[in-house]
Amino acid sequence: MYNKVRKAVIPAAGLGTRVLPASKAMPKEMLPIVDKPAIQYIVEEAVASGITDILIITNRGKSDIENHFDRIPELEERLLAAGKQEAYDTVVNITKMANICFVRQKETKGLGHAVNCARSFVGNEPFAVLFGDDVIMGDKPVTAQLCEAYEKYGLGVLGTKEMSPEVVMRGSSLKLEALDGESNVFKCTDLVEKVSKKEDLLSNYTILGRCICPPEIFDILDNTPPGVGGEIQLTDALAQLAKTVGLTAVDFEGKRYDMGNKLGILQATVDVALTHPEVSEGFKAYIKEIAAKL
Ligand code: UTP
């Protein structure tokens, strides 16, 4: 059994151009899914997976994220005085879930560059990366599924799913091989970012929002030149690991919502609202009413 994964990094310093104007002054990671910002779902997933220390990568426009995980004494006093114990617990518990720190990515130079800002926080141990705009819901937290593969094989792990070629071309494409005795864990020997022709896809499996990196990723990132879009791509550094020491990939259980995309935000809202104890009844009735007219 290899080391347990205790730390997680959540890159949340992107510009969110696909969800403008909502993300102009508000971080897209703070967009609510019914009553909780997206990034809180992600932190909760990390905590439910056994992560104790979390670093959120932000930038100068993202102080709302820091505020969300901080105490607000005036609000807490008001809630207590009004006897609103449940609301008080909700706002205070957010601040106690894990040891949460922040660091700023000073220039938006890509996901690989953002992850490289975590070097001193991570030190010499494996760490989970949870993309700040990918919310994944399911019975078993996805990060826990990836941690299990890390603890078994001791190699970096990619969270993946098979998607349509059009979706894969907008992200990474993975070259996978079967692993003995596994049904949803594969060996990953190569990956490429944003190919422009279908023929260049390595497969229809793509990284979806989660990976576990060994600490060796930092030396590789230091020497990774800008790739697609002029950004330092995490995919390029992971490709180097895949081709040398190797990586595994887990076809995870869970439904992923892309909160960096308008349709993804709507899908997350509808699915959560349909099971939310406070609003599900009224929301179901509303959905039925409008669906009948479509
Ligand atoms: P995306 O490419 O989805 O984020 O990066 P983006 O750049 O905000 O999106 P668009 O294309 O402009 O709409 C995936 C994750 O990496 C983070 C983002 O915040 C997101 O969580 N990221 C991206 C950074 O932290 N820094 C970067 O320089 C780029």
Side-chain angles (χ1 to χ4, degrees):
M1 188 102 156
Y2 290 89
N3 282 352
K4 236 184 127 34
V5 182
R6 300 183 307 122
K7 293 184 178 175
V9 173
I10 304 179
L15 297 177
T17 55
R18 286 168 297 148
V19 284
L20 282 170
S23 54
K24 186 181 171 203
M26 182 172 106
K28 66 175 167 179
E29 297 79 9
M30 287 298 292
L31 288 169
I33 305 177
V34 182
D35 55 3
K36 263 195 278 186
I39 196 155
Q40 188 179 331
Y41 289 89
I42 295 171
V43 168
E44 286 173 354
E45 178 199 316
V47 172
S49 305
I51 300 291
T52 53
D53 293 76
I54 297 172
L55 178 72
I56 303 179
I57 316 283
T58 64
N59 65 25
R60 71 193 83 81
K62 306 265 181 169
S63 43
D64 282 358
I65 300 178
E66 294 187 36
N67 294 340
H68 186 69
F69 292 98
D70 198 0
R71 301 286 296 261
I72 310 182
E74 301 81 353
L75 172 66
E76 293 166 16
E77 277 163 31
R78 185 72 66 90
L79 291 172
L80 278 184
K84 295 185 175 169
Q85 187 66 40
E86 204 180 320
Y88 171 86
D89 292 340
T90 302
V91 297
V92 173
N93 288 342
I94 295 168
T95 70
K96 294 184 173 169
M97 283 190 286
N99 176 27
I100 302 179
C101 330
F102 301 88
V103 70
R104 283 187 178 190
Q105 181 189 19
K106 296 187 180 66
E107 291 173 89
T108 316
K109 287 184 171 175
L111 180 57
H113 181 261
V115 169
N116 209 11
C117 297
R119 188 192 268 263
S120 62
F121 164 83
V122 167
N124 194 27
E125 52 182 297
F127 63 104
V129 179
L130 295 86
F131 300 4
D133 56 358
D134 275 315
V135 171
I136 305 179
M137 299 196 196
D139 293 338
K140 183 165 183 185
V142 181
T143 299
Q145 298 174 45
L146 270 56
C147 288
E148 269 175 25
Y150 180 83
E151 285 156 25
K152 185 166 175 189
Y153 293 102
L155 298 172
V157 189
L158 311 175
T160 187
K161 270 195 181 297
E162 196 169 11
M163 305 294 281
S164 69
E166 291 70 30
V167 170
V168 181
M169 286 168 73
R170 290 199 293 271
S172 56
S173 169
L174 315 184
K175 188 173 176 188
L176 300 179
E177 287 173 17
L179 267 177
D180 278 352
E182 301 279 9
S183 56
N184 69 326
V185 184
F186 302 90
K187 188 174 172 196
C188 174
T189 54
D190 199 4
L191 54 157
V192 284
E193 182 72 17
K194 293 190 180 64
V195 301
S196 49
K197 288 188 284 179
K198 261 190 202 172
E199 307 81 81
D200 294 338
L201 290 174
L202 301 175
S203 75
N204 286 342
Y205 282 90
T206 187
I207 302 179
L208 282 185
R210 302 287 181 271
C211 59
I212 309 283
C213 296
E216 290 74 30
I217 196 84
F218 295 115
D219 284 346
I220 299 175
L221 282 167
D222 278 348
N223 295 300
T224 301
V228 177
E231 296 196 331
I232 297 174
Q233 298 287 350
L234 182 62
T235 306
D236 292 342
L238 290 169
Q240 199 168 319
L241 274 180
K243 287 188 236 173
T244 52
V245 287
L247 290 174
T248 59
V250 174
D251 185 352
F252 60 79
E253 280 169 36
K255 187 163 176 187
R256 173 255 191 177
Y257 301 95
D258 180 0
M259 295 296 290
N261 167 313
K262 289 170 195 177
L263 188 59
I265 297 167
L266 291 168
Q267 289 165 339
T269 303
V270 169
D271 283 353
V272 172
L274 285 172
T275 57
H276 192 286
E278 247 174 85
V279 297
S280 67
E281 212 175 303
F283 188 66
K284 262 182 217 163
Y286 178 67
I287 288 277
K288 281 182 189 161
E289 188 190 316
I290 54 168
K293 292 184 201 150
L294 291 178

